[in-house]
Amino acid sequence: MRLLFLGDMVGKTGRTAVWEKLPGLVFDLKLDFVVVNGENAAGGFGITEDIFLETINAGADVVTTGNHVWDQKEAVSFAGRHEQFLRPANYPAGTPGRGSGIYYARNGARILVANIMGRVFMHPELDDPFKSAEAILAACPLKEQADAIVFDFHAEATSEKQCFGHFVDGRASLVVGTHTHVPTADCQILNGGTAYMSDAGMCGDYDSSLGMEKEEPLNRFISKMPKGRFEAASGPATICGLGVEISDRSGLAEKIAPLRIGPRLAETIPSFWA
């Protein structure tokens, strides 16, 4: 099974690039399932219902989020209406929406996707991500209720991301980090067969500071005083993510490689799909 994960869409340029490129990627690469993190899609802060729906229409099967999920107030009301929209599963009981779900891939496989948020250097500090993941896996074990399991682990600290990967190794198909907006060079398959990458990177303008126009972040580092608001950068976007080949027999990863399309970063498409 061929699965594509795309990192945080940032602002108009990031979401537009995904909408323009994703239909062709689904067709050309014969993708069975696509997950996109959309938590920075609306001006860099949160996501609207229209943006969510447009991302689904472009070919995403699930849209995940993170700490900015509620930045757009309408998300509180639409989160519960769409099964393909996920907020972190370790929010307290009673939070609108859902943190995980089972979806059907284009090849008929059952895919469990779970959105989990880390706690190190993160706000708000949510429930224990490890306990949340354990409960999700206990309720839907790999190759029993699910043919593949994907975790979007939205976190700041790479140590927490790596430990989470080892925690679910052999019990999930993929653990991919989001939130830090910079693609890491540690694509690998862990000892137990789980594909892992500390951060997928962002879909946005890399002539920026994490997708934001660089002048105001730079000013705050130098002067320690705000001069204005953070604004999403509007230059040409690079799409960043990763591709994973998942065994139909075991539900574990067989191949993993980064995907990058656009300016500034070296372009690459997983060689096993080229």
Side-chain angles (χ1 to χ4, degrees), residues 181-260:
H181 293 198
V182 177
T184 55
D186 62 342
C187 273
Q188 60 182 296
I189 297 176
L190 302 178
N191 293 337
T194 295
Y196 175 84
M197 186 176 186
S198 290
D199 202 282
M202 69 174 179
C203 298
D205 178 6
Y206 277 81
D207 182 17
S208 68
S209 174
L210 305 183
M212 296 291 148
E213 293 287 358
K214 53 185 178 286
E215 288 76 13
E216 180 58 18
L218 181 59
N219 161 67
R220 294 191 192 188
F221 279 116
I222 294 171
S223 72
K224 311 303 179 186
M225 293 290 292
K227 287 185 178 179
R229 300 175 58 188
F230 283 2
E231 301 285 348
S234 57
T238 297
I239 294 174
C240 282
L242 71 158
V244 183
E245 287 272 7
I246 298 171
S247 168
D248 294 332
R249 178 185 57 81
S250 67
L252 297 171
E254 295 180 325
K255 300 174 183 177
I256 181 173
L259 177 140
R260 292 189 294 270

XYZ file of all heavy atoms in Angstrom, residues 181-260:
585
model
N 8.126 22.334 11.413
C 8.131 22.934 10.075
C 9.443 22.800 9.315
O 9.610 23.435 8.267
C 7.746 24.417 10.146
C 6.337 24.671 10.554
N 5.689 25.869 10.331
C 5.429 23.890 11.188
C 4.455 25.824 10.792
N 4.274 24.619 11.337
N 10.369 22.012 9.806
C 11.647 21.809 9.121
C 11.829 20.317 8.877
O 11.842 19.538 9.836
C 12.823 22.354 9.950
C 14.142 22.076 9.261
C 12.661 23.848 10.200
N 11.975 19.882 7.619
C 12.109 18.444 7.369
C 13.414 17.895 7.927
O 14.488 18.464 7.715
C 12.062 18.332 5.840
C 12.501 19.678 5.358
C 12.031 20.670 6.380
N 13.328 16.805 8.640
C 14.514 16.182 9.219
C 15.072 15.111 8.289
O 14.391 14.637 7.380
C 14.195 15.572 10.592
O 13.085 14.661 10.459
C 13.824 16.650 11.593
N 16.314 14.723 8.540
C 17.022 13.790 7.658
C 17.063 12.389 8.237
O 17.974 11.628 7.929
C 18.439 14.300 7.404
N 16.086 12.052 9.100
C 16.146 10.761 9.792
C 15.032 9.804 9.398
O 14.605 8.982 10.197
C 16.132 10.979 11.313
C 14.858 11.661 11.807
O 14.140 12.280 10.989
O 14.583 11.586 13.016
N 14.581 9.873 8.136
C 13.640 8.847 7.643
C 14.256 7.474 7.879
O 15.385 7.209 7.468
C 13.419 9.003 6.143
S 12.128 10.135 5.679
N 13.513 6.603 8.517
C 14.032 5.261 8.771
C 12.892 4.313 9.104
O 11.777 4.738 9.410
C 15.011 5.290 9.945
C 14.383 5.779 11.253
C 15.383 5.850 12.381
O 15.933 4.839 12.816
N 15.642 7.070 12.868
N 13.206 3.060 9.060
C 12.285 2.029 9.550
C 12.895 1.483 10.837
O 14.025 0.991 10.845
C 12.077 0.917 8.515
C 11.409 1.507 7.251
C 11.211 -0.195 9.096
C 11.238 0.508 6.126
N 12.169 1.630 11.930
C 12.655 1.209 13.235
C 12.763 -0.315 13.306
O 12.283 -1.033 12.420
C 11.736 1.746 14.331
C 11.561 3.280 14.359
C 10.586 3.682 15.456
C 12.902 3.979 14.543
N 13.384 -0.798 14.367
C 13.686 -2.231 14.468
C 12.454 -3.114 14.363
O 12.507 -4.217 13.826
C 14.400 -2.520 15.793
C 15.784 -1.908 15.860
O 16.390 -1.632 14.822
N 16.301 -1.680 17.049
N 11.329 -2.628 14.881
C 10.114 -3.436 14.852
C 9.303 -3.309 13.582
O 8.277 -3.972 13.432
N 9.726 -2.422 12.668
C 9.043 -2.304 11.384
C 8.196 -1.059 11.209
O 7.499 -0.933 10.197
N 8.256 -0.129 12.155
C 7.486 1.112 12.050
C 8.312 2.169 11.327
O 9.453 2.440 11.701
C 7.101 1.624 13.451
O 6.224 0.680 14.059
C 6.405 2.978 13.379
N 7.727 2.773 10.291
C 8.376 3.880 9.605
C 8.366 5.107 10.517
O 7.378 5.355 11.220
C 7.662 4.189 8.298
N 9.456 5.876 10.463
C 9.592 7.003 11.393
C 10.322 8.168 10.727
O 11.288 7.980 9.986
C 10.370 6.578 12.642
C 10.648 7.743 13.575
C 9.696 8.158 14.497
C 11.848 8.457 13.479
C 9.930 9.261 15.313
C 12.093 9.556 14.298
C 11.127 9.952 15.210
O 11.348 11.041 16.007
N 9.856 9.401 11.034
C 10.561 10.617 10.656
C 10.239 11.664 11.709
O 9.069 11.875 12.062
C 10.115 11.096 9.273
C 10.903 12.281 8.736
S 10.363 12.691 7.054
C 11.551 13.955 6.594
N 11.266 12.351 12.239
C 11.046 13.291 13.339
C 10.186 14.476 12.932
O 9.394 14.970 13.725
C 12.380 13.799 13.893
O 13.054 12.772 14.590
N 10.353 14.977 11.714
C 9.449 16.022 11.232
C 9.358 15.984 9.715
O 10.380 15.946 9.026
C 9.877 17.418 11.688
C 8.710 18.388 11.659
O 8.355 18.868 10.556
O 8.121 18.659 12.720
N 8.124 16.023 9.236
C 7.881 15.952 7.793
C 8.211 17.254 7.091
O 8.323 17.295 5.866
C 6.419 15.594 7.534
N 8.386 18.341 7.862
C 8.557 19.649 7.251
C 7.205 20.287 6.976
O 6.155 19.724 7.293
N 7.232 21.459 6.376
C 5.978 22.173 6.101
C 5.728 22.249 4.603
O 6.632 22.071 3.781
C 6.022 23.589 6.669
C 6.992 24.506 5.965
S 6.888 26.220 6.559
C 8.162 26.975 5.536
N 4.491 22.537 4.270
C 4.129 22.919 2.919
C 3.938 24.425 2.954
O 2.901 24.928 3.412
C 2.848 22.209 2.480
S 3.000 20.409 2.443
N 4.966 25.162 2.548
C 4.927 26.605 2.667
C 6.160 27.233 2.047
O 6.977 26.565 1.406
N 6.300 28.538 2.254
C 7.396 29.325 1.702
C 8.618 29.184 2.617
O 8.595 29.630 3.764
C 6.943 30.788 1.604
C 8.025 31.720 1.089
O 9.105 31.237 0.696
O 7.778 32.947 1.092
N 9.689 28.599 2.098
C 10.891 28.393 2.905
C 11.810 29.621 2.945
O 12.812 29.607 3.654
C 11.642 27.151 2.430
C 11.057 25.885 3.020
C 9.930 25.293 2.469
C 11.599 25.311 4.161
C 9.375 24.152 3.024
C 11.050 24.177 4.730
C 9.939 23.595 4.157
O 9.382 22.467 4.726
N 11.466 30.695 2.220
C 12.158 31.971 2.385
C 11.431 32.709 3.504
O 10.727 33.701 3.290
C 12.115 32.769 1.086
C 12.868 34.090 1.193
O 13.681 34.233 2.143
O 12.640 34.970 0.348
N 11.596 32.213 4.726
C 10.739 32.630 5.837
C 11.340 32.157 7.149
O 12.420 31.560 7.172
C 9.346 32.007 5.669
O 9.416 30.585 5.850
N 10.621 32.411 8.220
C 10.910 31.789 9.510
C 9.753 30.855 9.831
O 8.683 31.290 10.262
C 11.053 32.852 10.604
O 11.191 32.239 11.877
N 9.935 29.585 9.530
C 8.922 28.559 9.761
C 7.608 28.863 9.053
O 6.524 28.530 9.535
C 8.665 28.366 11.263
C 9.897 28.045 12.114
C 9.492 27.805 13.552
C 10.655 26.852 11.557
N 7.705 29.518 7.898
C 6.515 29.833 7.118
C 5.977 31.222 7.362
O 5.018 31.637 6.704
N 6.568 31.951 8.310
C 6.154 33.326 8.581
C 7.131 34.310 7.921
O 8.321 34.022 7.806
C 6.125 33.586 10.093
C 5.097 32.757 10.833
S 3.427 33.254 10.427
C 2.562 31.680 10.560
N 6.604 35.470 7.490
C 7.490 36.517 6.983
C 8.602 36.744 8.002
O 8.349 36.920 9.199
C 6.708 37.807 6.756
C 5.673 37.733 5.637
C 6.283 37.715 4.249
O 7.534 37.795 4.137
O 5.521 37.611 3.276
N 9.842 36.748 7.559
C 10.979 36.636 8.481
C 11.314 37.920 9.235
O 12.003 37.884 10.258
C 12.209 36.132 7.735
C 12.583 36.904 6.494
C 13.750 36.220 5.796
C 14.139 36.922 4.509
N 13.162 36.680 3.420
N 10.816 39.069 8.783
C 11.225 40.332 9.402
C 10.785 40.440 10.859
O 11.572 40.845 11.730
C 10.680 41.515 8.599
C 11.366 41.736 7.261
C 10.931 40.735 6.206
O 9.908 40.026 6.433
O 11.601 40.655 5.158
N 9.517 40.106 11.160
C 9.048 40.274 12.532
C 9.668 39.249 13.488
O 10.105 39.639 14.585
C 7.527 40.211 12.598
C 6.938 40.368 13.994
C 7.322 41.668 14.688
O 7.774 42.632 14.005
O 7.178 41.745 15.930
N 9.762 37.963 13.145
C 10.486 37.042 14.037
C 11.930 37.476 14.263
O 12.435 37.415 15.393
C 10.416 35.701 13.305
C 9.207 35.804 12.446
C 9.123 37.242 12.023
N 12.608 37.932 13.202
C 13.991 38.386 13.340
C 14.062 39.599 14.273
O 14.938 39.677 15.147
C 14.560 38.723 11.967
C 16.011 39.199 11.912
C 16.945 38.143 12.500
C 16.403 39.520 10.469
N 13.135 40.522 14.106
C 13.094 41.694 14.979
C 12.951 41.303 16.439
O 13.611 41.875 17.319
C 11.931 42.605 14.567
C 11.552 43.578 15.674
O 12.314 44.468 16.026
N 10.379 43.359 16.270
N 12.088 40.341 16.708
C 11.852 39.962 18.107
C 13.067 39.273 18.716
O 13.330 39.426 19.917
C 10.613 39.078 18.196
C 9.336 39.816 17.829
C 8.098 39.018 18.164
N 6.910 39.624 17.554
C 5.667 39.233 17.793
N 5.443 38.204 18.631
N 4.647 39.819 17.198
N 13.817 38.536 17.917
C 15.049 37.940 18.436
C 16.071 39.016 18.765
O 16.807 38.923 19.756
C 15.641 36.950 17.426
C 14.998 35.589 17.452
C 14.309 35.109 16.341
C 15.081 34.775 18.571
C 13.717 33.844 16.357
C 14.497 33.515 18.603
C 13.816 33.057 17.489
N 16.130 40.054 17.942
C 17.153 41.076 18.121
C 16.757 42.101 19.176
O 17.542 42.430 20.080
C 17.441 41.776 16.779
C 18.067 40.781 15.796
C 18.362 42.988 16.980
C 18.191 41.299 14.387
N 15.535 42.619 19.097
C 15.121 43.725 19.957
C 14.349 43.293 21.194
O 14.212 44.070 22.144
C 14.257 44.700 19.161
O 12.970 44.141 18.902
N 13.819 42.074 21.171
C 12.965 41.567 22.254
C 11.645 42.338 22.365
O 10.910 42.168 23.339
C 13.677 41.589 23.626
C 15.069 40.985 23.620
C 15.077 39.561 23.127
C 16.488 38.993 23.120
N 16.543 37.643 22.513
N 11.319 43.127 21.339
C 10.102 43.929 21.344
C 9.308 43.676 20.070
O 9.874 43.697 18.970
C 10.450 45.422 21.429
C 11.084 45.847 22.731
S 9.911 45.797 24.095
C 8.807 47.122 23.629
N 8.002 43.437 20.178
C 7.198 43.264 18.967
C 6.982 44.586 18.252
O 6.783 45.629 18.873
C 5.868 42.710 19.502
C 5.778 43.225 20.894
C 7.186 43.274 21.409
N 7.043 44.531 16.915
C 6.717 45.698 16.094
C 5.420 45.479 15.319
O 4.847 46.436 14.802
C 7.848 45.984 15.103
C 9.096 46.582 15.728
C 10.108 46.936 14.656
C 11.344 47.582 15.257
N 12.358 47.909 14.212
N 5.031 44.240 15.208
C 3.832 43.935 14.437
C 3.422 42.490 14.655
O 3.927 41.805 15.554
N 2.501 42.027 13.852
C 2.001 40.663 13.956
C 2.833 39.731 13.093
O 3.478 40.150 12.121
C 0.536 40.604 13.498
C -0.407 41.465 14.305
C -1.803 41.434 13.712
N -2.333 40.089 13.647
C -3.473 39.767 13.033
N -4.182 40.696 12.415
N -3.899 38.516 13.030
N 2.807 38.457 13.428
C 3.357 37.443 12.540
C 2.397 37.282 11.357
O 1.188 37.142 11.545
C 3.502 36.103 13.258
C 4.687 36.025 14.190
C 5.526 37.106 14.388
C 4.963 34.848 14.862
C 6.617 37.023 15.244
C 6.048 34.757 15.727
C 6.875 35.844 15.911
N 2.948 37.280 10.158
C 2.163 37.100 8.945
C 2.753 35.947 8.142
O 3.971 35.812 8.038
C 2.186 38.369 8.091
C 1.639 39.608 8.779
C 0.124 39.613 8.890
O -0.512 38.756 8.232
O -0.411 40.463 9.622
N 1.877 35.125 7.583
C 2.350 34.006 6.775
C 3.088 34.524 5.546
O 2.632 35.460 4.885
C 1.183 33.121 6.357
N 4.243 33.926 5.250
C 4.993 34.291 4.062
C 4.194 33.916 2.819
O 3.416 32.948 2.823
C 6.348 33.588 4.060
N 4.384 34.675 1.748
C 3.533 34.511 0.570
C 4.296 34.140 -0.692
O 3.734 34.145 -1.788
C 2.737 35.801 0.325
O 3.614 36.914 0.175
N 5.579 33.814 -0.556
C 6.347 33.419 -1.730
C 6.024 32.006 -2.175
O 5.212 31.312 -1.563
N 6.660 31.552 -3.256
C 6.390 30.201 -3.764
C 6.636 29.136 -2.701
O 7.614 29.190 -1.958
C 7.386 30.061 -4.920
C 7.689 31.465 -5.336
C 7.643 32.279 -4.082
N 5.735 28.183 -2.639
C 5.782 27.166 -1.590
C 6.465 25.891 -2.062
O 6.420 25.536 -3.238
C 4.373 26.828 -1.110
N 7.080 25.219 -1.110
C 7.602 23.870 -1.315
C 6.737 22.900 -0.523
O 6.439 23.137 0.649
C 9.059 23.769 -0.842
O 9.867 24.644 -1.635
C 9.585 22.344 -0.978
N 6.335 21.831 -1.176
C 5.553 20.781 -0.518
C 6.522 19.783 0.098
O 7.395 19.249 -0.595
C 4.631 20.073 -1.526
C 3.557 21.045 -2.039
C 3.976 18.850 -0.913
C 2.712 20.462 -3.149
N 6.373 19.526 1.384
C 7.249 18.576 2.065
C 6.430 17.491 2.757
O 5.380 17.771 3.351
C 8.108 19.282 3.109
S 9.502 20.175 2.418
N 6.935 16.296 2.693
C 6.282 15.173 3.352
C 7.116 13.927 3.188
O 8.340 13.984 3.041
N 6.455 12.791 3.208
C 7.164 11.536 3.012
C 6.226 10.481 2.449
O 5.002 10.539 2.637
C 7.785 11.025 4.313
C 6.859 10.492 5.397
C 7.627 9.577 6.330
C 6.252 11.623 6.199
N 6.836 9.558 1.740
C 6.105 8.427 1.191
C 6.503 7.150 1.909
O 7.666 6.973 2.277
N 5.530 6.288 2.096
C 5.764 5.022 2.792
C 5.093 3.892 2.024
O 3.929 4.011 1.616
C 5.212 5.062 4.238
C 5.525 3.757 4.966
C 5.777 6.243 5.000
N 5.825 2.823 1.828
C 5.248 1.577 1.313
C 4.963 0.680 2.507
O 5.862 0.403 3.309
C 6.222 0.884 0.367
C 6.370 1.570 -0.978
C 5.345 1.089 -2.008
O 4.438 0.325 -1.616
O 5.460 1.493 -3.173
N 3.723 0.238 2.635
C 3.293 -0.568 3.771
C 2.916 -1.961 3.288
O 2.187 -2.112 2.291
C 2.101 0.092 4.484
C 2.521 1.457 5.030
C 1.569 -0.789 5.609
C 1.374 2.288 5.567
N 3.392 -2.976 3.974
C 3.113 -4.360 3.600
C 1.641 -4.691 3.805
O 1.083 -4.459 4.882
C 3.974 -5.308 4.446
O 3.538 -6.644 4.309
N 1.021 -5.255 2.784
C -0.370 -5.705 2.921
C -0.461 -6.884 3.882
O -1.511 -7.097 4.495
C -0.927 -6.112 1.554
C -1.036 -4.935 0.595
O -1.201 -3.799 1.079
O -0.940 -5.153 -0.629
N 0.621 -7.616 4.032
C 0.606 -8.807 4.884
C 0.752 -8.442 6.361
O -0.039 -8.871 7.199
C 1.745 -9.753 4.470
C 1.853 -11.013 5.335
C 3.067 -11.825 4.939
N 4.296 -11.042 5.030
C 4.942 -10.832 6.175
N 4.479 -11.336 7.319
N 6.061 -10.130 6.175
N 1.742 -7.619 6.685
C 2.047 -7.338 8.093
C 1.515 -5.998 8.587
O 1.398 -5.793 9.802
C 3.564 -7.373 8.308
O 4.180 -6.293 7.627
N 1.237 -5.076 7.672
C 0.847 -3.736 8.076
C 2.015 -2.878 8.509
O 1.819 -1.736 8.953
N 3.223 -3.376 8.393
C 4.423 -2.632 8.771
C 5.097 -2.048 7.533
O 4.772 -2.411 6.396
C 5.376 -3.538 9.541
C 4.824 -4.053 10.878
C 5.748 -5.109 11.467
C 4.620 -2.890 11.869
N 6.022 -1.142 7.763
C 6.643 -0.422 6.656
C 7.688 -1.277 5.947
O 8.433 -2.029 6.581
C 7.278 0.858 7.172
N 7.733 -1.118 4.644
C 8.762 -1.766 3.837
C 9.747 -0.757 3.256
O 10.926 -1.063 3.079
C 8.112 -2.568 2.710
C 7.263 -3.738 3.204
C 6.631 -4.531 2.093
O 6.259 -3.905 1.070
O 6.509 -5.762 2.225
N 9.253 0.459 2.971
C 10.098 1.519 2.417
C 9.612 2.857 2.939
O 8.417 3.045 3.182
C 10.041 1.508 0.886
C 10.504 0.220 0.234
C 10.277 0.263 -1.269
C 10.662 -1.059 -1.929
N 10.371 -1.049 -3.396
N 10.550 3.798 3.085
C 10.213 5.163 3.481
C 11.208 6.108 2.842
O 12.400 5.791 2.742
C 10.199 5.339 5.020
C 9.821 6.784 5.400
C 11.524 4.948 5.638
C 9.621 7.002 6.891
N 10.729 7.262 2.385
C 11.611 8.270 1.788
C 10.898 9.615 1.795
O 9.666 9.672 1.734
C 11.987 7.876 0.357
N 11.667 10.715 1.870
C 11.056 12.041 1.864
C 10.523 12.417 0.493
O 10.995 11.920 -0.539
C 12.203 12.963 2.274
C 13.428 12.244 1.841
C 13.135 10.779 2.020
N 9.549 13.322 0.500
C 9.035 13.931 -0.727
C 9.133 15.446 -0.572
O 8.691 16.000 0.431
C 7.590 13.510 -0.986
C 6.910 14.133 -2.217
C 6.048 13.111 -2.941
C 6.078 15.359 -1.844
N 9.744 16.103 -1.549
C 9.849 17.564 -1.552
C 9.669 18.049 -2.978
O 10.387 17.594 -3.884
C 11.201 18.036 -0.992
C 11.394 17.771 0.483
C 12.646 18.459 1.031
N 13.858 17.908 0.458
C 14.540 16.871 0.990
N 14.099 16.290 2.099
N 15.645 16.439 0.420
